[in-house]
Amino acid sequence: MKPKILSALLMLIVFSVPSFSLVSYGGDKMPEGFVDIQDVIPQIQLDIRYFGQHNFVGQKVDGYLAPKCILTREAASALFNVQKELETFSISLKVYDCYRPQRAVDHFVRWAKDIDDTKTKKEFYPTVDKRNLFKDGYIDSKSSHSRGSSVDLTIVALPAAQQEKYTPGQKLQECILPANKRFGDNSIDMGTGFDCFHELSHTANKDTGVQQRINRMLLKTLMEKHGFKNYDLEWWHFTLKNEPYPDTYFNFPID
């Protein structure tokens, strides 16, 4: 067979073979490598936003059957070390979200594509056109949370003040307003509310106040000391650097 014909055939074979993703998906049961954070850190504060209606979707999110924080054992152990350091100063971690089922991420995607549903815009994305949520990187079809070693969190002073309760239908306030004007959070002031789709949420944003930048740096420094890395567009989001399942997106429900 002539070299040119052989080369063409080889190219045809190569490009005819279907490509396979390196990403894998877990099943519907929690693997043994995952733990409930309260079994590791009983005193940690929880405010699991996607279990309720006070979130950017405006309703309980698919897969959240209980207000729990589930993490890989490795991430929970690292978080324990952060908590231990904070408690020496009478402060504590407060968690908004931990492991997130893929079905929850799919729920976010469906919501984002429904551009007519803007009932939470005033609080969570007051300056962003919903049509740009994918383009601007606020919503994606995959989340590191589904790998089980990412966590959204903040810091609260102890004893923790009472957390404001959200009543469905109540008037919403912009997440970029000063702390005393936005939705009440019993955490120290980080400059914006949680899940605030805005440039002020960028960890190193210099337009926040001095104290807010100090508070963010305290959280970031301690989390990095114990093996986490920050997502620079969200002051609250951290992922364990040596996560045990870097290519697996789990879908078991939180119950």
Side-chain angles (χ1 to χ4, degrees), residues 18-69:
S19 59
F20 295 95
S21 172
L22 294 176
V23 173
S24 62
Y25 298 86
D28 285 339
K29 293 185 178 180
M30 187 172 83
E32 291 184 1
F34 284 72
V35 295
D36 185 328
I37 195 63
Q38 288 192 303
D39 291 336
V40 179
I41 314 173
Q43 64 275 34
I44 199 168
Q45 306 285 310
L46 297 184
D47 185 5
I48 307 301
R49 292 291 185 88
Y50 303 137
F51 177 72
Q53 297 183 52
H54 186 228
N55 55 63
F56 64 85
V57 177
Q59 59 182 266
K60 183 185 290 190
V61 176
D62 291 355
Y64 287 81
L65 307 182
K68 295 180 179 179
C69 167

Side-chain angles (χ1 to χ4, degrees), residues 176-192:
I176 56 176
L177 291 175
N180 63 345
K181 294 184 178 180
R182 61 179 185 260
F183 181 82
D185 194 306
N186 63 354
S187 68
I188 63 176
D189 185 9
M190 294 292 186
T192 74

Side-chain angles (χ1 to χ4, degrees), residues 4-255:
K4 288 186 177 180
I5 297 176
L6 178 60
S7 176
L9 284 174
L10 288 173
M11 290 291 287
L12 180 62
I13 291 171
V14 168
F15 287 104
S16 296
V17 175
S19 59
F20 295 95
S21 172
L22 294 176
V23 173
S24 62
Y25 298 86
D28 285 339
K29 293 185 178 180
M30 187 172 83
E32 291 184 1
F34 284 72
V35 295
D36 185 328
I37 195 63
Q38 288 192 303
D39 291 336
V40 179
I41 314 173
Q43 64 275 34
I44 199 168
Q45 306 285 310
L46 297 184
D47 185 5
I48 307 301
R49 292 291 185 88
Y50 303 137
F51 177 72
Q53 297 183 52
H54 186 228
N55 55 63
F56 64 85
V57 177
Q59 59 182 266
K60 183 185 290 190
V61 176
D62 291 355
Y64 287 81
L65 307 182
K68 295 180 179 179
C69 167
I70 304 298
L71 286 172
T72 61
R73 197 175 304 278
E74 292 84 352
S77 178
L79 210 59
F80 172 83
N81 293 326
V82 178
Q83 176 73 11
K84 189 164 57 174
E85 286 209 45
L86 288 175
E87 286 181 351
T88 63
F89 299 99
S90 296
I91 50 182
S92 170
L93 293 171
K94 184 176 90 164
V95 174
Y96 297 114
D97 192 38
C98 299
Y99 157 71
R100 181 183 304 164
Q102 180 61 43
R103 68 191 74 189
V105 179
D106 296 342
H107 191 169
F108 291 171
V109 170
R110 292 195 307 273
W111 169 83
K113 289 180 178 179
D114 183 2
I115 60 174
D116 294 325
D117 180 359
T118 57
K119 63 177 179 287
T120 65
K121 176 179 174 61
K122 183 174 178 62
E123 178 171 357
F124 294 99
Y125 53 110
T127 65
V128 178
D129 188 324
K130 191 176 182 182
R131 290 171 293 187
N132 296 330
L133 291 178
F134 288 102
K135 179 176 68 70
D136 293 346
Y138 293 114
I139 301 293
D140 201 346
S141 60
K142 294 286 183 294
S143 169
S144 64
H145 282 276
S146 301
R147 304 195 298 262
S149 294
S150 289
V151 59
D152 294 338
L153 76 181
T154 187
I155 295 172
V156 297
L158 296 175
Q162 185 173 0
Q163 170 62 48
E164 180 179 345
K165 299 296 183 183
Y166 172 75
T167 302
Q170 77 179 63
K171 183 179 179 181
L172 301 179
Q173 303 295 340
E174 290 91 338
C175 57
I176 56 176
L177 291 175
N180 63 345
K181 294 184 178 180
R182 61 179 185 260
F183 181 82
D185 194 306
N186 63 354
S187 68
I188 63 176
D189 185 9
M190 294 292 186
T192 74
F194 166 62
D195 260 356
C196 186
F197 299 169
H198 194 275
E199 291 181 356
L200 282 178
S201 294
H202 298 183
T203 308
N205 189 300
K206 295 180 180 179
D207 291 332
T208 56
V210 173
Q211 187 59 57
Q212 289 78 16
R213 295 200 299 274
I214 291 173
N215 292 344
R216 291 183 184 190
M217 191 53 57
L218 170 62
L219 178 61
K220 182 174 183 286
T221 299
L222 281 178
M223 292 293 285
E224 289 179 344
K225 176 181 177 181
H226 294 289
F228 290 89
K229 58 184 176 182
N230 174 242
Y231 176 46
D232 61 357
L233 301 186
E234 298 175 351
W235 58 258
W236 56 81
H237 180 104
F238 294 85
T239 299
L240 190 68
K241 291 178 183 177
N242 295 319
E243 55 181 313
Y245 305 105
D247 300 310
T248 303
Y249 293 79
F250 295 91
N251 197 28
F252 62 88
I254 301 167
D255 54 18

